[in-house]
Amino acid sequence: MNDQFLTVGKSLPRIDAQVKATGEALYCSDLTLPRMLYGKILPSPLPHARIVNIDVSRARRLTGVKEIITGKDTLGLTYGRLPHIPITMDEPGLATDKVRYIGDDVAAVAAVDEEIAQEALGLIKVDYEELAALYDPICAMAPDAVKIHEVDRNIAWQVDCVYGDLEEGFRQSDHVREDEFESQSVIHCSLETRAALARYESSGKLTVWSSCQSPYYLKKDLAKLLGMTEGNVRVISPFVGGGFGGKRDLYAADFCAALLAKRTGQPVKICYTRNEEFASSRRRHAMVIKLKTGVKRDGRIMAQKASIIGDGGAYNSMGPVIIGRAGAHLTMQYKLPNFECHCYLVYTNKPVAGAFRGFGFLQACFANESQLDLIAADLGLDPIELRLKNALEAGYSHPLDFEIGSCGLKESLRIVADSPIWKTKGKGGEGRKRRGVGAAACSYICGTMGMPTAAALELHTDGTVKLIAGGVEIGQGSQTTLCQIAAEELGVAMEDIKLAGVDTDVTPIDLGSFASRTTLYAGNAVRAAAQDAKRQLFGPVAEKLEASPQDLECRHRRVYVKGSPDKGLSFAEAVRACMYSRAGMPIMGRGYYNPRVTTFDHRSLKGNVSPAYSYGAMACQVEVDSETGQIKVIHSWNAHDCGRAINPMGLSGQVEGSVGIGIGQALYEDFFFADGQTLNGSLDIYRVPTAIETPGVDTALVESIEPNGPFGAKGVSEGTQLPVAPAIANALYDALGVRVKKLPLTPHQVLKALEETKR
Amino acid sequence: MNDQFLTVGKSLPRIDAQVKATGEALYCSDLTLPRMLYGKILPSPLPHARIVNIDVSRARRLTGVKEIITGKDTLGLTYGRLPHIPITMDEPGLATDKVRYIGDDVAAVAAVDEEIAQEALGLIKVDYEELAALYDPICAMAPDAVKIHEVDRNIAWQVDCVYGDLEEGFRQSDHVREDEFESQSVIHCSLETRAALARYESSGKLTVWSSCQSPYYLKKDLAKLLGMTEGNVRVISPFVGGGFGGKRDLYAADFCAALLAKRTGQPVKICYTRNEEFASSRRRHAMVIKLKTGVKRDGRIMAQKASIIGDGGAYNSMGPVIIGRAGAHLTMQYKLPNFECHCYLVYTNKPVAGAFRGFGFLQACFANESQLDLIAADLGLDPIELRLKNALEAGYSHPLDFEIGSCGLKESLRIVADSPIWKTKGKGGEGRKRRGVGAAACSYICGTMGMPTAAALELHTDGTVKLIAGGVEIGQGSQTTLCQIAAEELGVAMEDIKLAGVDTDVTPIDLGSFASRTTLYAGNAVRAAAQDAKRQLFGPVAEKLEASPQDLECRHRRVYVKGSPDKGLSFAEAVRACMYSRAGMPIMGRGYYNPRVTTFDHRSLKGNVSPAYSYGAMACQVEVDSETGQIKVIHSWNAHDCGRAINPMGLSGQVEGSVGIGIGQALYEDFFFADGQTLNGSLDIYRVPTAIETPGVDTALVESIEPNGPFGAKGVSEGTQLPVAPAIANALYDALGVRVKKLPLTPHQVLKALEETKR
């Protein structure tokens, strides 16, 4: 914390807290329009089948049904997140020739109410020709496996990242070990399910209110799928009840609502029920990661060879990038002179895997941070000491050309090492319930390159500031952060900043809230816009004060001569002075941020992938019931290098969320399948941790002051979810001396591992 | 019309035409929000009374009633349009101590439906102490008249404009005549009645969707009346179904919806029925105008003395400005070396008079242009020749310091003189039905000074342009005009410009659509924003083309080197070149317009009142039934100096509307009162002209190229309503030789005048 700032660095309440707490916030499902219809989507009951015929005639005759669409009513185009990686453009708006998973989108109905729409779904008769289905990536990669898409061995994407001299690295190593780690697929479980309301005007304008993280991307995708120009598509973001990556892609709800609205001339709303969301929304990529790592006796890492196989499900979504990020993450925390990694993204007939908080990094972090503890144990080293020995530092000349402008990894590790829970390591006792402590480190990106982000603001004569900036508020607190940045730069109070929601017809370009990019990207754009406004403000004010513009500053809602606070005007007076000056100038500031564009190669992972890298470390203390195998997390101690904490309270909240969701991944959440059918696709049997399962969380902030960040800030806390699972696995080892390499760490796995040690 | 332009000067269809024609456009009354309540307002049944007590207890007990407010629940503050003229701040949100006209706002109810709200109104018991009521301004000005407000002789405002040497002017005159003219109050009759939907969040944010012409003003007024900061009030403009000045002020609907929403925590919508609108909305000021005018034998005007008494009704609204405009108008068309004018705005216990298309100019134009024809007849001069002899020209050194940058008055008059209908003058025949033709001229302002207006735009990578500008589309076609200006400046197609509606949390400042200001003010701001964007675009594009930025131009959706159309990029490519250049720059243009601020004194009318002045002339051909006194307008020929016609078709439409509404004023519309009660306050008995009563309209455009206007454009067509009534009165004189000096020119008036000539 720093006295030089008045708003930045302060734990201010979130600007959206009250309306969310009182239930006043309007979400997509709350919206209605005149003549609005309700839509429902028919999911495929089969994991892999050719569509022979769809007969909608009976459904059409149901009173209240207004329109039914199938793949034939679409342009037959496919969409995807990454036009520069064509293989990601593999998903149709509605299935045309084939269905590829149970839940695949086959047809959609618009009717006067949801019940009729649902009833109509039951009257649609689809003739399928069943095909062999593949559920396991290893089987799917067999040369003779049926093809889910027209790619060889169902491998959607392959990454080959090689640098240094791997053989030489292993030769120089004193100790080499090989391990295989497995992590499971989990689902986002945002409090608000996905929803869309579309309105189409006969003049050709489509407006979609959607619960999404990337309105600008959605606009692009909808325009493509509907054969419209992008300028005719407007996406408005109402309040969004959580995202976690799950609202990054276009969903059938968006597309079907839009197409049904276009065909009926009436607004159409589609809100997924929780069970529909389980059936058809994205999930995390399950991965199998093999690591062969060579170290010197003193712990220095000399070489690593990795293979990563990711289960992509039926369509790619962002899979090719995610699988690459898993590979890249292995190089992001520790100096690793020699490296070879091959990653495979594989199609299966399961629900689509896509973006999820952690985005591939998480799976690799579990593997790497688990193995490091194994190595430490092998060598008799303290696990944190081992990490400190290898940890990256700012300015490290990264073999893949990542430009590390700031790095608080070592400081984070030291804070965790100094934590009271770390001091309990090895002292878990001998009874039935034993305690253990484990640590793990993490690193994350702050957005990816090449996504310019802009912001605009206007100063009003009452001293308030209208801020228009993207970066959807998905619960992460970005609106509060952006307001703090604007308030700090303009020297006004937090409540003076009025930030409107995202609307692609109004908000300057911002590709959305993902990749922990908003604080850095939108924050820089907002700060630049505020600086731009200040420059304009200072001209006429300086004239009025008979001072030089460069001698002015704004603080405490005043504009004054530096060092002479009395020689000045209130901020509102200053704005009025400009507005009613001879030139009569309304003040509009604009700003944008785009890091110097560098190339990043998605096949080889070479090139600087992000303008900044955040770091952190965590220790978890667990209590394990050695008879039942049950793990309970007692406490977690976190250190997070966020560059600078714009809002420490918000940041702590983010870390708490990370710990909670990380515990779900580590201990509870998992999908069970039978012939491609998810068996636990509802909240009563899918185990999400509640407050009871969430431990006390202590968070220390490490402020490394990122040169590329606004006021030195970096992305916050997507990274802090990464170390939860390995820290718990390492804590389990500390408690019971058993190592589980497969997530989640269920009682069954723990007991099985205990059995194995006894053998 | 000019080939140098591609979009400006073209008769393009309105961008809102289709959605309005199909009924898809959403107006305020179409909007709903979750938990929305409906509001109704209790009107005063008495013209003037003290409120002794209001008992709402029975109304409160009605099931479904959620809240009732009276003056006691307000802060007791008054509002008004013109803070710099304090007397205009005379109207409370709800009546506190007194009611001042039948229809004055006494209480408001929010209930679960409109029927219950209406029923609740009937259960509110108000005890009044009746006061003497005044309906005639002359009586109201009597020294002993009861005071409606605490001002002397009920004179709310007085204007005294004097210049030159009046006595000397009359001395030099060969002919002096004195006449008295009367014009009546009429009502706007917008297709959409006034409506407001308010939502208040407990965090302190008020959002109001209102059918209004000035969202920024409404925001200011609501903040004041509710004791909120302006920054916490957001006004959004849905589609607006006509304004004509009638939606310029805050109405009780806005205030009551907001206060009821604040108190209930639920959204509240209040939509006036047509009859409610008749009872409580603004009307035009009825005026009595005495003119004493001296001329030389050749027609040169030497002196004029005027007195104007305006019936302001119960509150001032914009009356002080309107009454001054009436006086100013007398000096705006003709060289008038010596002038004295006294204007009085008087309170009466009648509905409030306020802004109405023509805004005081109209009443003065009827008087002046009628008297000029009388003078021409006295002197045996051609009426148009008389006008030409006196007509202003650009650069005329106006005694009140009006700066006339462009003036097409003479050209307009000559066009009308050359029209086929003017050639029928004096040839009306002798039968029962006689034809006649009359002419009149007009002038108008293009906004008033000191109202900075801003616009912003952003260039998208698909080549479309997001435009954010104020200037509410109230049916005048401003959105189309602004898009044409942006398209022209950027060299893109009309459909590439995407203009969002007005939202004070998003739209840069623009005080609204009134005073014929939007084309000039917002048009200049939009053009400046487009030029600003172009400058940014040209930098990286020039680099790419290896050219100099100043050698580039944009046309036909391309950016290229002037003279070498092949050496260039498509507009979309150019934007992408900027966005993906090394600097990666999203392009946001901003622009504003504020004329050089000059002072205008509302008491003496001295100072330049507007950045530009528009002119025009019209001839009307009528057929008069000499037995019934019925006048039918056969044809109207118009010439309009609009500076430059941005959209000739839109302009012709505006003139057609002016002729229609002008005919209502001239021939049909009038209010009948009994003891302050409007007797014809509904559309079945208030006579608005329909298409049947509207004649053929020919419009010639006079392009005087205004130096202060965007592409030379000025305000369009509010002025062209002015000459309709005098042209018809003059045509009546041509047909029958009778002069009616009182509007409307009803059969009764015509027959009475015929009787008088016979005497």
Side-chain angles (χ1 to χ4, degrees), chain A residues 15 18-19 22 24-26 30-34 199-203 205 216 219-220 229-232 234 239 265 450 452-456 458 460-462 464 466-468 495 498-501 503-509 532 536 579-586 588-597, chain B residues 15 18-19 22 24-26 30-34 199-203 205 216 219-220 229-232 234 239 265 450 452-456 458 460-462 464 466-468 495 498-501 503-509 532 536 579-586 588-597:
Chain A
I15 60 171
Q18 184 162 345
V19 292
T22 56
E24 292 166 284
L26 294 182
D30 296 319
L31 307 178
T32 55
L33 287 173
R199 171 175 148 82
Y200 185 85
E201 289 162 16
S202 61
S203 56
K205 181 90 186 179
Y216 262 103
K219 166 180 159 147
K220 232 181 181 42
T229 62
E230 285 178 31
N232 275 339
R234 174 181 195 174
F239 276 93
T453 294
E458 187 182 357
H460 283 189
T461 50
D462 66 341
T464 59
K466 183 167 71 190
L467 175 59
I468 316 179
E495 60 265 34
K498 310 294 173 185
L499 174 56
D503 172 347
T504 60
D505 263 15
V506 166
T507 318
I509 190 158
D532 182 36
Q536 296 169 60
M579 194 84 110
Y580 303 120
S581 69
R582 240 171 337 155
M585 185 173 70
M588 293 184 284
R590 64 171 167 237
Y592 57 85
Y593 177 69
N594 200 16
R596 190 170 52 77
V597 175
Chain B
I15 60 171
Q18 183 162 346
V19 292
T22 55
E24 292 165 284
L26 293 182
D30 296 319
L31 306 178
T32 55
L33 287 174
R199 172 176 148 80
Y200 185 86
E201 289 162 18
S202 61
S203 56
K205 181 90 188 179
Y216 262 103
K219 166 181 159 147
K220 231 179 182 41
T229 62
E230 285 177 32
N232 275 338
R234 175 182 194 173
F239 276 94
T453 295
E458 187 181 358
H460 283 189
T461 50
D462 66 341
T464 59
K466 183 167 72 191
L467 175 59
I468 316 179
E495 60 265 33
K498 309 294 173 186
L499 174 56
D503 172 347
T504 59
D505 262 16
V506 166
T507 318
I509 190 159
D532 182 36
Q536 296 168 59
M579 194 84 111
Y580 303 121
S581 69
R582 239 171 337 153
M585 185 172 70
M588 293 184 284
R590 65 173 165 234
Y592 58 84
Y593 177 69
N594 199 16
R596 190 170 50 78
V597 175

Side-chain angles (χ1 to χ4, degrees), chain A residues 201-446:
Chain A
E201 289 162 16
S202 61
S203 56
K205 181 90 186 179
L206 173 70
T207 304
V208 176
W209 291 260
S210 174
S211 176
C212 74
Q213 295 176 233
S214 305
Y216 262 103
Y217 269 123
L218 182 56
K219 166 180 159 147
K220 232 181 181 42
D221 283 339
L222 283 172
K224 188 195 169 197
L225 281 182
L226 294 162
M228 296 174 65
T229 62
E230 285 178 31
N232 275 339
V233 180
R234 174 181 195 174
V235 177
I236 300 175
S237 171
F239 276 93
V240 175
F244 309 112
K247 291 174 179 167
R248 187 159 171 201
D249 292 2
L250 171 144
Y251 271 47
D254 301 304
F255 170 69
C256 292
L259 183 55
L260 288 166
K262 192 173 174 187
R263 292 171 68 102
T264 58
Q266 292 177 250
V268 176
K269 181 158 78 172
I270 302 182
C271 302
Y272 286 142
T273 63
R274 180 63 62 183
N275 290 8
E276 285 167 347
E277 175 122 328
F278 264 99
S280 75
S281 76
R282 290 1 185 178
R283 303 175 176 186
R284 194 190 292 286
H285 288 78
M287 291 191 195
V288 176
I289 301 181
K290 284 188 196 169
L291 294 182
K292 177 182 173 188
T293 307
V295 294
K296 285 279 192 195
R297 193 161 296 115
D298 64 2
R300 266 181 301 146
I301 304 170
M302 299 308 293
Q304 187 172 61
K305 184 173 183 190
S307 104
I308 302 177
I309 296 174
D311 181 351
Y315 300 100
N316 271 328
S317 177
M318 308 210 59
V321 179
I322 293 169
I323 200 85
R325 293 288 189 273
H329 184 263
L330 296 172
T331 75
M332 272 171 59
Q333 288 167 208
Y334 307 108
K335 292 170 191 158
L336 175 54
N338 307 293
F339 183 58
E340 183 175 330
C341 174
H342 304 282
C343 311
Y344 306 89
L345 175 71
V346 186
Y347 286 123
T348 61
N349 294 113
K350 288 198 293 193
V352 184
F356 196 138
R357 185 175 182 145
F359 202 78
F361 295 78
L362 180 135
Q363 296 90 325
C365 190
F366 170 65
N368 208 32
E369 294 289 314
S370 291
Q371 198 191 41
L372 279 178
D373 259 40
L374 287 163
I375 291 170
D378 292 345
L379 299 177
L381 295 173
D382 176 87
I384 292 185
E385 283 304 317
L386 173 71
R387 286 170 171 86
L388 279 167
K389 191 158 279 164
N390 291 286
L392 286 197
E393 290 147 344
Y396 170 65
S397 172
H398 194 286
L400 294 172
D401 295 334
F402 299 175
E403 294 170 14
I404 316 292
S406 62
C407 177
L409 178 56
K410 285 187 175 174
E411 195 179 341
S412 299
L413 284 164
R414 285 193 195 105
I415 288 170
V416 167
D418 285 343
S419 71
I421 60 174
W422 187 251
K423 299 191 191 322
T424 68
K425 186 166 154 60
K427 302 170 187 160
E430 291 295 314
R432 173 177 164 179
K433 294 198 174 180
R434 301 188 206 162
R435 293 209 164 181
V437 62
C442 63
S443 57
Y444 209 73
I445 52 172
C446 303

Side-chain angles (χ1 to χ4, degrees), chain A residues 387-579:
Chain A
R387 286 170 171 86
L388 279 167
K389 191 158 279 164
N390 291 286
L392 286 197
E393 290 147 344
Y396 170 65
S397 172
H398 194 286
L400 294 172
D401 295 334
F402 299 175
E403 294 170 14
I404 316 292
S406 62
C407 177
L409 178 56
K410 285 187 175 174
E411 195 179 341
S412 299
L413 284 164
R414 285 193 195 105
I415 288 170
V416 167
D418 285 343
S419 71
I421 60 174
W422 187 251
K423 299 191 191 322
T424 68
K425 186 166 154 60
K427 302 170 187 160
E430 291 295 314
R432 173 177 164 179
K433 294 198 174 180
R434 301 188 206 162
R435 293 209 164 181
V437 62
C442 63
S443 57
Y444 209 73
I445 52 172
C446 303
T448 49
M449 307 304 270
M451 294 182 171
T453 294
L457 49 77
E458 187 182 357
L459 310 188
H460 283 189
T461 50
D462 66 341
T464 59
V465 178
K466 183 167 71 190
L467 175 59
I468 316 179
V472 176
E473 173 64 67
I474 50 173
Q476 83 278 45
S478 64
Q479 286 199 328
T480 305
T481 300
L482 297 181
C483 287
Q484 283 184 268
I485 289 170
E488 183 66 49
E489 191 61 44
L490 293 168
V492 298
M494 197 51 186
E495 60 265 34
D496 298 336
I497 309 289
K498 310 294 173 185
L499 174 56
V502 174
D503 172 347
T504 60
D505 263 15
V506 166
T507 318
I509 190 158
D510 184 321
L511 293 183
S513 291
F514 53 84
S516 296
R517 68 189 289 282
T518 302
T519 298
L520 191 131
Y521 272 76
N524 272 325
V526 166
R527 191 177 185 195
Q531 288 167 335
D532 182 36
K534 235 161 65 169
R535 270 192 297 276
Q536 296 169 60
L537 185 68
F538 283 179
V541 172
E543 200 174 310
K544 204 175 165 93
L545 296 177
E546 296 177 345
S548 158
Q550 54 270 33
D551 291 339
L552 297 186
E553 70 176 350
C554 306
R555 273 166 90 89
H556 301 295
R557 285 175 163 161
R558 284 180 61 76
V559 183
Y560 56 88
V561 178
K562 271 176 219 162
S564 310
D566 292 342
K567 197 175 171 193
L569 303 172
S570 79
F571 193 80
E573 284 165 349
V575 177
R576 288 195 292 267
C578 289
M579 194 84 110

Side-chain angles (χ1 to χ4, degrees), chain B residues 103-420:
Chain B
D104 208 349
D105 307 295
V106 177
V109 175
V112 295
D113 65 37
E114 277 189 302
E115 292 66 31
I116 293 172
Q118 185 65 47
E119 192 181 338
L121 292 188
L123 300 175
I124 297 174
K125 193 170 163 294
V126 188
D127 297 330
Y128 292 105
E129 178 193 321
E130 272 199 75
L131 300 169
L134 299 163
Y135 308 120
D136 182 79
I138 307 294
C139 303
M141 287 163 84
D144 58 346
V146 63
K147 283 187 177 180
I148 299 172
H149 291 264
E150 287 306 308
V151 297
D152 191 38
R153 295 170 59 217
N154 289 308
I155 298 175
W157 187 256
Q158 182 171 341
V159 171
D160 302 290
C161 175
V162 183
Y163 64 76
D165 183 336
L166 196 73
E167 282 186 36
E168 179 59 26
F170 281 125
R171 223 179 344 258
Q172 290 176 7
S173 300
D174 299 315
H175 177 62
V176 175
R177 66 170 292 152
E178 288 186 66
D179 297 285
E180 181 174 313
F181 299 91
E182 254 183 84
S183 57
Q184 83 283 32
S185 179
V186 297
I187 195 165
H188 311 80
C189 290
S190 297
L191 274 182
E192 183 206 17
T193 56
R194 193 80 193 238
L197 165 59
R199 172 176 148 80
Y200 185 86
E201 289 162 18
S202 61
S203 56
K205 181 90 188 179
L206 172 70
T207 304
V208 176
W209 292 259
S210 174
S211 176
C212 74
Q213 295 176 234
S214 305
Y216 262 103
Y217 269 125
L218 182 57
K219 166 181 159 147
K220 231 179 182 41
D221 284 339
L222 283 173
K224 188 194 168 198
L225 282 182
L226 294 162
M228 298 174 63
T229 62
E230 285 177 32
N232 275 338
V233 180
R234 175 182 194 173
V235 177
I236 299 174
S237 171
F239 276 94
V240 175
F244 308 114
K247 291 174 179 166
R248 186 160 172 202
D249 292 2
L250 171 145
Y251 271 47
D254 302 304
F255 170 69
C256 292
L259 183 54
L260 288 167
K262 192 172 173 188
R263 292 170 69 100
T264 59
Q266 291 178 250
V268 176
K269 182 159 75 172
I270 301 182
C271 303
Y272 286 143
T273 64
R274 179 64 61 183
N275 290 7
E276 285 167 348
E277 175 121 329
F278 264 99
S280 74
S281 77
R282 288 8 183 172
R283 302 174 176 187
R284 194 191 291 287
H285 288 78
M287 290 191 196
V288 176
I289 301 181
K290 283 189 200 170
L291 293 182
K292 177 182 173 189
T293 308
V295 293
K296 284 279 189 197
R297 194 162 296 114
D298 64 359
R300 265 181 302 146
I301 304 170
M302 299 309 292
Q304 187 170 61
K305 184 173 183 190
S307 103
I308 302 178
I309 296 174
D311 182 351
Y315 300 100
N316 272 327
S317 177
M318 309 210 59
V321 179
I322 293 168
I323 200 86
R325 293 288 189 273
H329 185 263
L330 296 171
T331 74
M332 271 172 60
Q333 287 166 208
Y334 307 109
K335 291 170 191 158
L336 175 54
N338 306 293
F339 183 59
E340 183 175 330
C341 175
H342 304 283
C343 311
Y344 306 89
L345 175 71
V346 186
Y347 286 124
T348 61
N349 294 114
K350 289 198 294 196
V352 184
F356 195 140
R357 184 173 182 145
F359 203 77
F361 296 79
L362 181 135
Q363 295 92 323
C365 191
F366 170 64
N368 209 31
E369 293 290 314
S370 291
Q371 197 192 41
L372 279 178
D373 260 40
L374 286 163
I375 290 170
D378 293 344
L379 299 177
L381 295 173
D382 176 87
I384 292 186
E385 283 305 317
L386 174 71
R387 286 170 170 85
L388 279 168
K389 190 157 282 163
N390 291 287
L392 287 197
E393 288 148 344
Y396 169 65
S397 173
H398 194 286
L400 294 172
D401 296 334
F402 298 175
E403 293 170 15
I404 317 292
S406 63
C407 177
L409 178 56
K410 286 188 174 174
E411 194 178 341
S412 299
L413 284 164
R414 286 194 194 103
I415 288 170
V416 167
D418 286 343
S419 71

